[in-house]
Amino acid sequence: MPTAKGGKTEGSGEIVFNQNLSSTPVEQGFFDQINFGLKIDKATEAKADARHFEVGLQFRKTFLFHQAKIRAVRDALNSTPTGALTVNDTNTGVGLKTGITSQDPLLIINDLQKDFFRSLYFDNAFKFEGDINGFSVGNVSNLVYDAQFQVTTVARGIGKQAGFWNFRWIPVGIEAGYNLKNADDKSNEKHSLARIKTGAVFSLIYRASDPNSFLNRVEFDTQAVNRFLLRRENVFDEKTKKAILLEKGSKYWVQSDLKFLFGPKTPMGMVGIKVGFRRGWLPPVYAFNKAFNIGLVFESANKDTSKEIKLK
């Protein structure tokens, strides 16, 4: 919870829910993932309240880099009999960074692990943006099409695979849509929206070797995005407490969270403590935020990605 001026304790809450609705193998189908997302970010203290509600569907297409190496290793693994002590050589030789050509799958995997970026995501989303005001999410509301490219690394191991880190870079994205309502300023509603954005996300995760350890997992996430508003949009006025200002140009958002999750893990998930910092503006009303907060966090069981395959 953030602390306001004068020592008054304020309340805040953040709900993030993501659910994969459909997945197909990469390189098959027009999209290989369909995801549902919901985010609520609300607080009672002025500069800690993003007044942000977002819900929508995302359609993702994945493009793998270094496909020749990946296909060669995959085919070698598929051709190796179950229980074999060694993996079969690849059908064809693959050029490595050392300048040699090899059919040894272990050498190819080792060479593949040296590649920093591993894939490109092309995300297309349709979402509803709302201003959380009391029990309403439609005081100011937008319908938005969101398209972006993300260049990603694999989850790279730290130490003896006790932890890993991941980096995603958003070189460019566009958000285009329509304002459905602005109860604060009826003279400036029902107009088109256009934004260009860029950003990055860095994640660092450490997990205990014993799943029953008291401190089960530590996670650090930091993300930054800058939206450039090509058309004027309504911005929250702290004096009147309404979205009546009209602005365009850059609106950035920076958020960092450090989570300590305590075990043992249950079928429902884990509880923990989260310390966070945020600064900047989020649509649809762009209420300025600058706050530290600390509070309890509950993470559902399907959020744990520690069992995913990771490469050093």
Side-chain angles (χ1 to χ4, degrees):
M1 59 183 65
T3 302
K5 293 180 180 179
K8 181 182 177 182
T9 301
E10 303 284 345
S12 65
E14 182 181 21
I15 298 175
V16 179
F17 177 80
N18 294 297
Q19 179 66 48
N20 177 259
L21 302 180
S22 175
S23 294
T24 59
V26 175
E27 301 177 353
Q28 295 184 18
F30 196 65
F31 297 107
D32 44 68
Q33 283 189 37
I34 301 176
N35 302 309
F36 170 80
L38 169 70
K39 183 176 182 180
I40 299 173
D41 198 333
K42 178 65 178 173
T44 57
E45 201 269 322
K47 289 192 176 181
D49 186 7
R51 300 173 65 107
H52 179 70
F53 174 87
E54 181 179 296
V55 62
L57 284 176
Q58 179 196 74
F59 301 84
R60 169 169 290 174
K61 179 64 177 178
T62 304
F63 300 92
L64 297 176
F65 301 153
H66 321 293
Q67 293 191 32
K69 298 177 188 176
I70 294 173
R71 289 196 188 102
V73 173
R74 180 191 61 195
D75 293 342
L77 292 173
N78 290 338
S79 67
T80 301
T82 302
L85 298 179
T86 59
V87 179
N88 290 344
D89 286 347
T90 60
N91 295 326
T92 58
V94 176
L96 307 181
K97 290 183 175 61
T98 57
I100 67 171
T101 298
S102 176
Q103 291 181 263
D104 185 340
L106 295 181
L107 289 179
I108 298 173
I109 291 173
N110 183 64
D111 193 74
L112 189 61
Q113 290 171 344
K114 298 175 183 177
D115 296 314
F116 186 73
F117 287 114
R118 190 61 56 82
S119 62
L120 171 70
Y121 293 153
F122 179 39
D123 296 330
N124 292 265
F126 297 92
K127 61 186 182 181
F128 172 86
E129 298 174 344
D131 166 33
I132 304 178
N133 186 11
F135 293 100
S136 170
V137 295
N139 184 59
V140 178
S141 56
N142 301 324
L143 192 61
V144 176
Y145 165 68
D146 181 359
Q148 66 180 19
F149 290 99
Q150 291 192 71
V151 185
T152 72
T153 68
V154 292
R156 293 178 171 264
I158 299 174
K160 297 181 179 179
Q161 296 293 319
F164 59 92
W165 62 269
N166 175 269
F167 176 74
R168 286 178 288 149
W169 173 45
I170 305 172
V172 66
I174 61 169
E175 294 178 337
Y178 189 75
N179 172 255
L180 301 174
K181 180 182 178 182
N182 186 347
D184 290 344
D185 187 359
K186 288 290 186 180
S187 64
N188 284 295
E189 65 175 359
K190 302 186 185 305
H191 55 81
S192 59
L193 309 170
R195 312 165 187 152
I196 298 175
K197 66 178 180 179
T198 185
V201 181
F202 176 77
S203 301
L204 179 64
I205 298 177
Y206 174 83
R207 59 184 176 89
S209 56
D210 182 359
N212 294 316
S213 296
F214 175 70
L215 182 58
N216 190 289
R217 199 158 80 249
V218 179
E219 298 183 8
F220 174 75
D221 292 284
T222 187
Q223 55 183 296
V225 62
N226 184 70
R227 290 178 172 87
F228 188 88
L229 313 187
L230 299 174
R231 298 180 61 87
R232 294 186 183 277
E233 295 188 38
N234 289 97
V235 175
F236 188 74
D237 179 16
E238 293 188 11
K239 293 182 179 179
T240 63
K241 305 301 180 184
K242 293 183 178 182
I244 58 174
L245 302 178
L246 287 174
E247 295 182 10
K248 64 179 182 178
S250 293
K251 294 293 181 184
Y252 68 86
W253 177 260
V254 178
Q255 179 174 342
S256 296
D257 294 303
L258 178 63
K259 292 189 290 187
F260 300 90
L261 298 168
F262 304 108
K265 183 178 178 181
T266 69
M268 295 294 294
M270 288 186 292
V271 296
I273 296 174
K274 182 173 78 171
V275 181
F277 170 76
R278 59 194 60 205
R279 181 187 175 100
W281 299 263
L282 283 176
V285 297
Y286 302 99
F288 180 69
N289 272 226
K290 182 182 178 183
F292 285 94
N293 52 60
I294 182 170
L296 297 176
V297 62
F298 176 79
E299 190 171 278
S300 61
N302 60 6
K303 172 64 171 63
D304 184 5
T305 59
S306 60
K307 293 184 180 179
E308 292 180 356
I309 296 175
K310 298 174 287 294
L311 299 176
K312 287 185 178 179

